[in-house]
Coordinates of all heavy atoms in Angstrom, one line a residue:
L1 N -31.6 29.0 21.4 CA -30.7 29.5 20.3 C -30.3 28.4 19.4 O -30.2 28.6 18.2 CB -29.6 30.3 20.9 CG -28.9 31.4 20.1 CD1 -30.0 32.3 19.5 CD2 -27.9 32.1 20.8
Q2 N -30.0 27.3 20.0 CA -29.6 26.1 19.2 C -30.7 25.6 18.3 O -30.4 25.2 17.2 CB -29.1 25.0 20.1 CG -27.8 25.3 20.8 CD -27.3 24.2 21.7 OE1 -28.2 23.3 22.1 NE2 -26.1 24.1 22.1
K3 N -31.9 25.6 18.8 CA -33.1 25.3 18.0 C -33.2 26.2 16.8 O -33.4 25.8 15.7 CB -34.3 25.2 18.8 CG -35.6 24.8 18.0 CD -36.8 24.9 18.8 CE -38.0 24.5 18.0 NZ -38.1 24.7 16.6
M4 N -33.0 27.5 17.1 CA -33.2 28.5 16.0 C -32.1 28.2 14.9 O -32.3 28.2 13.7 CB -33.0 29.9 16.5 CG -33.3 30.9 15.3 SD -33.2 32.6 15.8 CE -31.5 32.9 15.7
Q5 N -30.8 27.9 15.4 CA -29.7 27.6 14.4 C -30.0 26.4 13.6 O -29.9 26.4 12.4 CB -28.4 27.5 15.2 CG -27.3 27.3 14.3 CD -25.9 27.2 15.0 OE1 -25.9 27.2 16.2 NE2 -24.8 27.1 14.2
A6 N -30.6 25.4 14.3 CA -30.9 24.1 13.5 C -32.1 24.4 12.5 O -32.1 23.9 11.4 CB -31.3 23.0 14.5
D7 N -33.0 25.2 13.0 CA -34.1 25.6 12.1 C -33.7 26.4 10.9 O -34.1 26.2 9.7 CB -35.2 26.4 12.8 CG -36.0 25.6 13.8 OD1 -36.0 24.3 13.7 OD2 -36.7 26.1 14.7
M8 N -32.7 27.3 11.1 CA -32.2 28.1 10.0 C -31.4 27.2 9.0 O -31.5 27.4 7.8 CB -31.3 29.2 10.5 CG -32.2 30.3 11.2 SD -31.2 31.7 11.7 CE -31.0 32.5 10.2
E9 N -30.6 26.2 9.6 CA -29.9 25.3 8.7 C -30.9 24.5 7.8 O -30.7 24.3 6.6 CB -29.0 24.4 9.5 CG -27.8 25.1 10.0 CD -27.0 24.3 11.0 OE1 -27.2 23.1 11.1 OE2 -26.0 24.8 11.6
R10 N -32.0 24.0 8.5 CA -33.0 23.3 7.8 C -33.7 24.1 6.7 O -33.8 23.7 5.5 CB -34.1 22.8 8.7 CG -35.3 22.1 8.1 CD -36.4 21.7 9.1 NE -36.8 22.9 9.9 CZ -37.6 23.8 9.4 NH1 -38.1 23.9 8.2 NH2 -38.0 24.8 10.3
V11 N -33.9 25.4 7.0 CA -34.5 26.3 6.0 C -33.6 26.5 4.8 O -34.0 26.5 3.6 CB -35.0 27.6 6.6 CG1 -35.3 28.7 5.6 CG2 -36.2 27.4 7.5
Q12 N -32.3 26.7 5.1 CA -31.3 26.9 4.0 C -31.3 25.7 3.1 O -31.2 25.8 1.9 CB -29.9 27.1 4.6 CG -29.8 28.5 5.3 CD -29.9 29.6 4.3 OE1 -29.5 29.6 3.2 NE2 -30.6 30.7 4.8
L13 N -31.4 24.5 3.7 CA -31.4 23.3 2.8 C -32.7 23.2 2.0 O -32.7 22.9 0.8 CB -31.3 22.0 3.7 CG -30.0 21.7 4.3 CD1 -30.1 20.5 5.3 CD2 -29.0 21.4 3.2
E14 N -33.8 23.6 2.6 CA -35.1 23.6 1.9 C -35.0 24.6 0.7 O -35.5 24.4 -0.3 CB -36.3 24.0 2.8 CG -36.6 22.9 3.8 CD -37.7 23.4 4.8 OE1 -38.2 24.5 4.7 OE2 -38.0 22.7 5.8
L15 N -34.4 25.8 1.0 CA -34.4 26.8 0.0 C -33.5 26.3 -1.2 O -33.8 26.6 -2.4 CB -33.8 28.1 0.5 CG -34.7 28.9 1.5 CD1 -33.9 30.0 2.1 CD2 -35.9 29.3 0.8
G16 N -32.5 25.6 -0.9 CA -31.6 25.0 -2.0 C -32.4 24.0 -2.9 O -32.1 23.9 -4.0
E17 N -33.3 23.3 -2.3 CA -34.1 22.4 -3.0 C -35.4 22.9 -3.7 O -36.0 22.3 -4.6 CB -34.5 21.2 -2.1 CG -33.3 20.4 -1.6 CD -33.6 19.4 -0.5 OE1 -34.8 19.2 -0.2 OE2 -32.7 18.7 -0.1
A18 N -35.8 24.1 -3.2 CA -37.0 24.7 -3.7 C -36.9 25.2 -5.1 O -35.8 25.6 -5.5 CB -37.4 25.9 -2.8
R19 N -37.9 25.2 -5.8 CA -37.9 25.8 -7.2 C -39.1 26.7 -7.4 O -40.2 26.5 -7.0 CB -38.1 24.6 -8.2 CG -37.0 23.6 -8.2 CD -35.6 24.2 -8.6 NE -34.6 23.3 -8.7 CZ -33.6 23.1 -7.7 NH1 -33.7 23.8 -6.6 NH2 -32.6 22.3 -7.8
V20 N -38.8 27.9 -8.0 CA -39.8 28.9 -8.2 C -39.7 29.3 -9.6 O -38.6 29.5 -10.2 CB -39.5 30.2 -7.3 CG1 -40.5 31.3 -7.5 CG2 -39.5 29.8 -5.8
E21 N -40.8 29.5 -10.3 CA -40.9 29.7 -11.7 C -41.4 31.2 -12.0 O -42.3 31.6 -11.4 CB -41.7 28.8 -12.4 CG -41.9 28.9 -13.9 CD -42.8 27.9 -14.5 OE1 -42.4 26.7 -14.5 OE2 -43.9 28.3 -15.0
G22 N -40.7 31.9 -12.9 CA -41.1 33.2 -13.4 C -41.4 33.0 -14.8 O -40.7 32.2 -15.5
T23 N -42.4 33.8 -15.3 CA -42.8 33.6 -16.7 C -43.0 35.0 -17.3 O -43.1 36.0 -16.7 CB -44.1 32.9 -16.9 OG1 -45.2 33.6 -16.2 CG2 -44.0 31.5 -16.3
S24 N -43.0 35.0 -18.7 CA -43.3 36.2 -19.4 C -43.8 35.8 -20.8 O -43.6 34.6 -21.2 CB -42.1 37.2 -19.5 OG -41.1 36.6 -20.4
G25 N -44.4 36.7 -21.5 CA -44.9 36.4 -22.8 C -46.0 35.4 -22.8 O -46.0 34.5 -23.7
G26 N -46.8 35.4 -21.7 CA -47.9 34.4 -21.7 C -47.3 33.0 -21.5 O -48.0 32.0 -21.9
G27 N -46.2 32.9 -20.9 CA -45.6 31.5 -20.7 C -44.6 31.1 -21.7 O -44.0 30.0 -21.7
A28 N -44.4 32.0 -22.7 CA -43.4 31.7 -23.8 C -42.0 31.6 -23.3 O -41.2 30.8 -23.8 CB -43.5 32.7 -24.9
V29 N -41.7 32.3 -22.2 CA -40.4 32.2 -21.6 C -40.6 31.9 -20.1 O -41.4 32.5 -19.4 CB -39.6 33.5 -21.7 CG1 -38.3 33.4 -21.0 CG2 -39.4 33.8 -23.2
R30 N -39.9 30.9 -19.6 CA -40.0 30.5 -18.2 C -38.6 30.4 -17.6 O -37.8 29.7 -18.2 CB -40.7 29.1 -18.0 CG -42.2 29.1 -18.5 CD -42.8 27.7 -18.2 NE -42.2 26.6 -18.9 CZ -41.6 25.6 -18.3 NH1 -41.7 25.5 -17.0 NH2 -41.1 24.6 -19.0
A31 N -38.4 31.0 -16.5 CA -37.1 30.9 -15.8 C -37.4 30.3 -14.4 O -38.4 30.6 -13.8 CB -36.6 32.3 -15.6
V32 N -36.6 29.4 -14.1 CA -36.7 28.6 -12.8 C -35.5 28.9 -11.9 O -34.3 28.8 -12.4 CB -36.9 27.1 -13.0 CG1 -37.1 26.4 -11.7 CG2 -38.1 26.9 -13.9
V33 N -35.7 29.3 -10.7 CA -34.6 29.6 -9.7 C -34.9 28.7 -8.5 O -36.0 28.4 -8.2 CB -34.4 31.0 -9.4 CG1 -34.1 31.9 -10.6 CG2 -35.7 31.6 -8.7
D34 N -33.8 28.5 -7.7 CA -33.9 27.9 -6.5 C -34.2 28.9 -5.4 O -34.3 30.2 -5.7 CB -32.8 27.0 -6.1 CG -31.4 27.7 -5.9 OD1 -31.4 28.9 -5.7 OD2 -30.4 27.0 -6.0
G35 N -34.3 28.5 -4.1 CA -34.6 29.5 -3.0 C -33.4 30.4 -2.7 O -33.6 31.3 -1.9
H36 N -32.2 30.2 -3.3 CA -31.1 31.0 -3.1 C -30.9 32.0 -4.3 O -29.8 32.6 -4.5 CB -29.8 30.2 -2.9 CG -29.9 29.3 -1.7 ND1 -29.9 29.8 -0.4 CD2 -29.9 28.0 -1.6 CE1 -29.9 28.8 0.4 NE2 -30.0 27.6 -0.3
Q37 N -31.9 32.0 -5.2 CA -31.9 32.9 -6.4 C -30.8 32.5 -7.4 O -30.3 33.3 -8.2 CB -31.7 34.4 -6.1 CG -32.9 35.0 -5.3 CD -32.9 34.7 -3.9 OE1 -31.9 35.0 -3.2 NE2 -34.0 34.2 -3.3
N38 N -30.5 31.2 -7.5 CA -29.6 30.6 -8.5 C -30.5 30.1 -9.6 O -31.5 29.3 -9.4 CB -28.8 29.5 -8.0 CG -27.8 30.0 -6.9 OD1 -27.1 31.0 -7.1 ND2 -27.7 29.3 -5.8
F39 N -30.2 30.5 -10.8 CA -31.0 29.9 -12.0 C -30.7 28.5 -12.2 O -29.5 28.1 -12.2 CB -30.7 30.7 -13.2 CG -31.3 32.1 -13.2 CD1 -30.6 33.2 -12.7 CD2 -32.6 32.3 -13.6 CE1 -31.2 34.4 -12.7 CE2 -33.2 33.6 -13.6 CZ -32.5 34.6 -13.1
V40 N -31.7 27.7 -12.3 CA -31.6 26.2 -12.6 C -32.1 25.8 -13.9 O -31.8 24.7 -14.4 CB -32.1 25.4 -11.4 CG1 -31.4 25.7 -10.1 CG2 -33.6 25.7 -11.2
E41 N -33.0 26.6 -14.5 CA -33.6 26.2 -15.8 C -34.0 27.5 -16.5 O -34.4 28.5 -15.9 CB -34.9 25.3 -15.6 CG -34.6 24.0 -15.0 CD -36.0 23.2 -14.8 OE1 -36.9 23.4 -15.6 OE2 -36.0 22.6 -13.8
L42 N -34.0 27.4 -17.8 CA -34.5 28.5 -18.7 C -35.2 27.8 -19.9 O -34.5 27.0 -20.6 CB -33.5 29.5 -19.1 CG -34.0 30.6 -20.0 CD1 -34.9 31.5 -19.2 CD2 -32.8 31.4 -20.5
H43 N -36.5 28.1 -20.1 CA -37.2 27.5 -21.2 C -37.7 28.6 -22.1 O -38.3 29.6 -21.6 CB -38.4 26.7 -20.7 CG -38.0 25.6 -19.7 ND1 -37.6 24.4 -20.1 CD2 -38.0 25.6 -18.4 CE1 -37.4 23.7 -19.1 NE2 -37.6 24.4 -18.0
I44 N -37.5 28.4 -23.4 CA -38.0 29.4 -24.4 C -38.8 28.6 -25.4 O -38.2 27.7 -26.1 CB -36.8 30.2 -25.0 CG1 -36.0 30.9 -24.0 CG2 -37.3 31.1 -26.1 CD1 -34.7 31.6 -24.5
D45 N -40.0 29.0 -25.6 CA -40.9 28.3 -26.6 C -40.3 28.8 -28.0 O -40.1 30.0 -28.3 CB -42.3 28.9 -26.4 CG -43.3 28.2 -27.4 OD1 -42.9 27.8 -28.5 OD2 -44.4 28.1 -27.0
P46 N -40.0 27.8 -28.8 CA -39.5 28.2 -30.2 C -40.3 29.2 -30.9 O -39.8 29.9 -31.7 CB -39.5 26.8 -30.9 CG -39.4 25.8 -29.8 CD -40.2 26.4 -28.6
A47 N -41.6 29.2 -30.6 CA -42.5 30.2 -31.3 C -42.2 31.6 -30.9 O -42.6 32.6 -31.6 CB -44.0 29.8 -31.0
A48 N -41.5 31.8 -29.8 CA -41.2 33.1 -29.3 C -39.9 33.7 -29.9 O -39.6 34.8 -29.8 CB -41.0 33.1 -27.8
V49 N -39.2 32.8 -30.7 CA -38.0 33.2 -31.4 C -38.3 33.8 -32.7 O -38.8 33.2 -33.6 CB -37.0 32.1 -31.5 CG1 -35.7 32.5 -32.2 CG2 -36.7 31.5 -30.1
D50 N -38.0 35.1 -32.9 CA -38.2 35.8 -34.1 C -36.9 36.5 -34.4 O -36.5 37.5 -33.7 CB -39.4 36.8 -34.0 CG -39.6 37.6 -35.3 OD1 -38.8 37.5 -36.3 OD2 -40.6 38.4 -35.3
A51 N -36.2 36.1 -35.4 CA -34.9 36.6 -35.8 C -35.0 38.1 -36.1 O -34.0 38.8 -35.9 CB -34.3 35.9 -37.0
D52 N -36.1 38.6 -36.5 CA -36.3 40.0 -36.8 C -36.6 40.9 -35.5 O -36.7 42.1 -35.6 CB -37.4 40.2 -37.8 CG -37.1 39.6 -39.2 OD1 -35.8 39.6 -39.5 OD2 -38.0 39.1 -39.9
D53 N -36.8 40.2 -34.4 CA -37.2 41.0 -33.2 C -36.5 40.3 -32.0 O -37.2 39.9 -31.0 CB -38.7 41.0 -33.0 CG -39.1 42.1 -32.0 OD1 -38.2 42.7 -31.4 OD2 -40.3 42.2 -31.8
I54 N -35.2 40.3 -32.0 CA -34.4 39.7 -30.9 C -34.6 40.5 -29.6 O -34.7 39.9 -28.5 CB -32.9 39.6 -31.2 CG1 -32.7 38.7 -32.4 CG2 -32.1 39.2 -30.0 CD1 -33.1 37.2 -32.1
E55 N -34.8 41.8 -29.7 CA -35.0 42.7 -28.5 C -36.3 42.2 -27.8 O -36.2 42.2 -26.5 CB -35.1 44.1 -28.9 CG -33.8 44.7 -29.3 CD -33.9 46.2 -29.6 OE1 -34.9 46.9 -29.2 OE2 -33.0 46.7 -30.3
M56 N -37.3 41.8 -28.4 CA -38.5 41.4 -27.7 C -38.2 40.1 -26.9 O -38.6 40.0 -25.7 CB -39.7 41.1 -28.6 CG -40.9 40.7 -27.9 SD -42.4 40.6 -28.9 CE -42.0 39.1 -29.8
L57 N -37.5 39.2 -27.5 CA -37.1 37.9 -26.8 C -36.2 38.3 -25.6 O -36.4 37.7 -24.5 CB -36.4 37.0 -27.8 CG -35.9 35.7 -27.1 CD1 -37.1 34.9 -26.5 CD2 -35.2 34.8 -28.2
Q58 N -35.3 39.1 -25.8 CA -34.4 39.5 -24.7 C -35.2 40.2 -23.6 O -35.0 39.8 -22.4 CB -33.3 40.6 -25.2 CG -32.3 39.9 -26.1 CD -31.4 41.0 -26.8 OE1 -31.8 42.1 -27.0 NE2 -30.2 40.6 -27.1
D59 N -36.2 41.0 -23.9 CA -37.0 41.6 -22.9 C -37.9 40.5 -22.1 O -38.0 40.6 -21.0 CB -38.0 42.6 -23.5 CG -37.3 43.9 -24.0 OD1 -36.1 44.1 -23.5 OD2 -37.9 44.7 -24.7
M60 N -38.4 39.5 -22.9 CA -39.1 38.5 -22.2 C -38.2 37.6 -21.3 O -38.7 37.2 -20.2 CB -39.8 37.6 -23.3 CG -41.0 38.3 -24.0 SD -42.0 37.1 -25.0 CE -40.9 36.5 -26.2
V61 N -37.0 37.4 -21.7 CA -36.1 36.6 -20.9 C -35.8 37.4 -19.6 O -35.9 36.8 -18.5 CB -34.8 36.2 -21.6 CG1 -33.8 35.6 -20.7 CG2 -35.1 35.2 -22.7
M62 N -35.5 38.6 -19.7 CA -35.2 39.4 -18.5 C -36.5 39.5 -17.6 O -36.3 39.4 -16.4 CB -34.8 40.9 -19.0 CG -33.5 40.9 -19.6 SD -32.1 40.5 -18.5 CE -32.2 41.8 -17.4
A63 N -37.6 39.7 -18.2 CA -38.8 39.7 -17.4 C -39.1 38.4 -16.6 O -39.4 38.4 -15.4 CB -40.1 40.1 -18.3
A64 N -38.9 37.3 -17.3 CA -39.1 36.0 -16.6 C -38.1 35.8 -15.5 O -38.4 35.3 -14.5 CB -39.1 34.9 -17.7
C65 N -36.9 36.2 -15.8 CA -35.8 36.0 -14.8 C -36.1 36.9 -13.6 O -36.0 36.4 -12.4 CB -34.5 36.4 -15.4 SG -33.9 35.2 -16.6
N66 N -36.5 38.2 -13.8 CA -36.8 39.1 -12.7 C -38.0 38.6 -11.9 O -38.0 38.7 -10.7 CB -37.0 40.5 -13.2 CG -35.7 41.1 -13.6 OD1 -34.6 40.9 -13.2 ND2 -35.8 42.0 -14.6
D67 N -39.0 38.0 -12.6 CA -40.2 37.5 -11.9 C -39.8 36.3 -11.0 O -40.2 36.2 -9.9 CB -41.2 37.1 -13.0 CG -42.5 36.6 -12.4 OD1 -43.0 37.2 -11.4 OD2 -43.1 35.7 -12.9
A68 N -38.9 35.4 -11.5 CA -38.5 34.3 -10.8 C -37.7 34.7 -9.5 O -37.9 34.2 -8.4 CB -37.7 33.3 -11.6
V69 N -36.8 35.6 -9.7 CA -36.0 36.0 -8.6 C -36.8 36.7 -7.5 O -36.7 36.5 -6.3 CB -34.8 37.0 -9.1 CG1 -34.1 37.6 -7.9 CG2 -33.8 36.1 -9.9
R70 N -37.8 37.6 -7.9 CA -38.7 38.2 -7.0 C -39.5 37.2 -6.2 O -39.5 37.3 -5.0 CB -39.6 39.2 -7.8 CG -40.6 40.0 -6.9 CD -41.6 40.8 -7.7 NE -42.3 40.0 -8.7 CZ -43.3 39.2 -8.5 NH1 -43.7 39.0 -7.3 NH2 -43.9 38.6 -9.5
K71 N -40.0 36.3 -6.9 CA -40.8 35.2 -6.2 C -39.9 34.4 -5.2 O -40.4 34.0 -4.1 CB -41.5 34.3 -7.2 CG -42.6 35.0 -7.9 CD -43.2 34.0 -9.0 CE -44.3 34.7 -9.8 NZ -44.8 33.8 -10.9
S72 N -38.7 34.1 -5.6 CA -37.8 33.4 -4.8 C -37.4 34.1 -3.5 O -37.4 33.6 -2.4 CB -36.5 33.0 -5.6 OG -35.6 32.3 -4.8
R73 N -37.2 35.4 -3.7 CA -36.8 36.2 -2.6 C -38.0 36.3 -1.5 O -37.8 36.2 -0.3 CB -36.5 37.7 -3.0 CG -35.1 37.8 -3.5 CD -34.7 39.2 -3.8 NE -33.4 39.3 -4.4 CZ -33.1 40.1 -5.4 NH1 -34.0 41.0 -5.9 NH2 -31.9 40.1 -5.9
Q74 N -39.2 36.4 -2.1 CA -40.4 36.5 -1.2 C -40.6 35.2 -0.5 O -40.8 35.1 0.7 CB -41.7 36.8 -2.1 CG -41.7 38.2 -2.6 CD -42.9 38.4 -3.5 OE1 -43.5 37.5 -4.1 NE2 -43.3 39.6 -3.7
M75 N -40.4 34.0 -1.1 CA -40.4 32.8 -0.5 C -39.4 32.6 0.6 O -39.7 32.2 1.7 CB -40.3 31.6 -1.5 CG -40.3 30.2 -0.9 SD -39.8 28.9 -2.1 CE -38.1 29.4 -2.4
A76 N -38.1 33.0 0.3 CA -37.0 32.9 1.2 C -37.3 33.8 2.5 O -37.1 33.3 3.6 CB -35.7 33.3 0.6
E77 N -37.8 35.0 2.2 CA -38.1 35.9 3.3 C -39.2 35.3 4.2 O -39.1 35.4 5.4 CB -38.5 37.3 2.8 CG -37.3 38.1 2.2 CD -37.8 39.3 1.5 OE1 -39.0 39.6 1.5 OE2 -36.9 40.0 0.9
A78 N -40.2 34.7 3.6 CA -41.3 34.2 4.4 C -40.8 33.0 5.2 O -41.2 32.9 6.4 CB -42.4 33.7 3.5
K79 N -40.0 32.2 4.6 CA -39.5 31.0 5.4 C -38.6 31.4 6.5 O -38.6 30.9 7.6 CB -38.7 30.0 4.5 CG -39.6 29.2 3.6 CD -38.8 28.2 2.7 CE -39.6 27.3 1.9 NZ -40.2 26.2 2.6
M80 N -37.7 32.4 6.3 CA -36.8 32.9 7.3 C -37.6 33.6 8.4 O -37.2 33.5 9.6 CB -35.7 33.8 6.8 CG -34.7 33.0 5.9 SD -34.0 31.6 6.6 CE -32.7 32.5 7.5
A81 N -38.6 34.3 8.1 CA -39.4 35.0 9.0 C -40.1 34.1 10.0 O -40.2 34.3 11.2 CB -40.5 35.9 8.4
R82 N -40.5 32.9 9.5 CA -41.1 31.9 10.4 C -40.1 31.4 11.4 O -40.5 31.2 12.6 CB -41.6 30.7 9.6 CG -42.9 31.0 8.9 CD -43.6 29.8 8.4 NE -42.9 28.9 7.6 CZ -42.9 28.9 6.2 NH1 -43.7 29.8 5.6 NH2 -42.2 28.1 5.5
V83 N -38.8 31.3 11.1 CA -37.8 30.9 12.0 C -37.5 32.0 13.0 O -37.4 31.8 14.2 CB -36.5 30.4 11.3 CG1 -35.4 30.2 12.3 CG2 -36.8 29.2 10.4
T84 N -37.3 33.2 12.5 CA -36.8 34.3 13.4 C -38.0 34.9 14.2 O -37.7 35.6 15.2 CB -36.1 35.4 12.5 OG1 -37.0 35.9 11.6 CG2 -34.9 34.9 11.9
S85 N -39.2 34.7 13.9 CA -40.3 35.3 14.6 C -40.4 34.7 15.9 O -41.1 35.3 16.8 CB -41.6 35.1 13.8 OG -42.0 33.8 13.7
T86 N -39.9 33.5 16.2 CA -40.0 32.8 17.5 C -38.9 33.3 18.4 O -38.9 32.9 19.6 CB -39.9 31.3 17.3 OG1 -38.6 31.0 16.7 CG2 -41.0 30.8 16.5
V87 N -38.0 34.1 18.0 CA -36.8 34.6 18.8 C -37.3 35.8 19.6 O -37.8 36.7 19.1 CB -35.6 34.9 17.9 CG1 -34.5 35.5 18.8 CG2 -35.2 33.7 17.2
S88 N -37.0 35.7 20.9 CA -37.3 36.8 21.8 C -36.0 37.1 22.6 O -35.5 36.3 23.3 CB -38.4 36.5 22.7 OG -38.7 37.5 23.6
V89 N -35.5 38.3 22.4 CA -34.3 38.7 23.1 C -34.7 39.8 24.2 O -35.3 40.8 23.8 CB -33.2 39.4 22.2 CG1 -32.0 39.8 22.9 CG2 -32.9 38.4 21.1
P90 N -34.5 39.4 25.4 CA -34.9 40.3 26.5 C -34.3 41.7 26.4 O -33.1 41.8 26.1 CB -34.4 39.6 27.8 CG -34.3 38.2 27.4 CD -33.9 38.2 26.0
G91 N -35.1 42.8 26.5 CA -34.6 44.1 26.4 C -34.5 44.7 25.0 O -34.2 45.8 24.8
L92 N -34.7 43.8 24.0 CA -34.6 44.3 22.6 C -36.0 44.6 22.1 O -36.9 43.8 22.2 CB -34.0 43.2 21.7 CG -33.9 43.5 20.2 CD1 -32.9 44.7 20.1 CD2 -33.5 42.3 19.4
K93 N -36.2 45.9 21.7 CA -37.5 46.3 21.2 C -37.3 46.6 19.7 O -36.4 47.2 19.3 CB -37.9 47.6 21.9 CG -38.3 47.4 23.3 CD -38.7 48.7 24.0 CE -39.0 48.4 25.4 NZ -39.5 49.6 26.1
L94 N -38.2 46.0 18.9 CA -38.2 46.1 17.5 C -39.3 47.0 17.0 O -40.4 47.1 17.6 CB -38.3 44.8 16.8 CG -37.1 43.8 17.1 CD1 -37.3 42.5 16.4 CD2 -35.8 44.4 16.6

């Protein structure tokens, strides 16, 4: 159990340092989050900015952000699953 706790702490640190990128508009908008789904960067290509179509830019930003968060959650779940898959509790059936 102590090993699992140490492994989980290590994974939490790794997730804080990990970076996952989500994109939209063919890469015109890029959102970067860490493994805890905190946004750390947002890049918008100036060519994607059209004052006459702000709604499209807003949609691209939302899509890139959602893509980044989804990928970050998948990464976090996979890392945590590696830690918890080694745990066996007698009498517990999953």
Side-chain angles (χ1 to χ4, degrees):
L1 205 51
Q2 288 177 342
K3 181 186 179 326
M4 184 180 85
Q5 184 177 5
D7 287 345
M8 289 185 77
E9 289 174 8
R10 177 186 49 78
V11 167
Q12 289 298 320
L13 288 172
E14 288 176 7
L15 290 173
E17 295 172 0
R19 298 295 182 261
V20 180
E21 182 178 292
T23 62
S24 68
V29 177
R30 296 185 300 120
V32 180
V33 298
D34 65 17
H36 298 294
Q37 291 84 52
N38 296 312
F39 287 91
V40 295
E41 297 175 35
L42 180 64
H43 303 274
I44 300 174
D45 184 331
V49 179
D50 179 355
D52 294 327
D53 196 0
I54 295 299
E55 285 184 21
M56 183 175 69
L57 179 59
Q58 291 170 333
D59 289 345
M60 287 192 298
V61 169
M62 291 295 293
C65 290
N66 288 331
D67 186 39
V69 168
R70 180 185 52 77
K71 289 176 180 176
S72 178
R73 282 188 185 139
Q74 289 173 341
M75 177 191 64
E77 289 170 2
K79 284 183 177 284
M80 292 304 280
R82 286 197 301 266
V83 172
T84 59
S85 68
T86 62
V87 176
S88 174
V89 178
L92 180 65
K93 294 181 180 180
L94 299 175

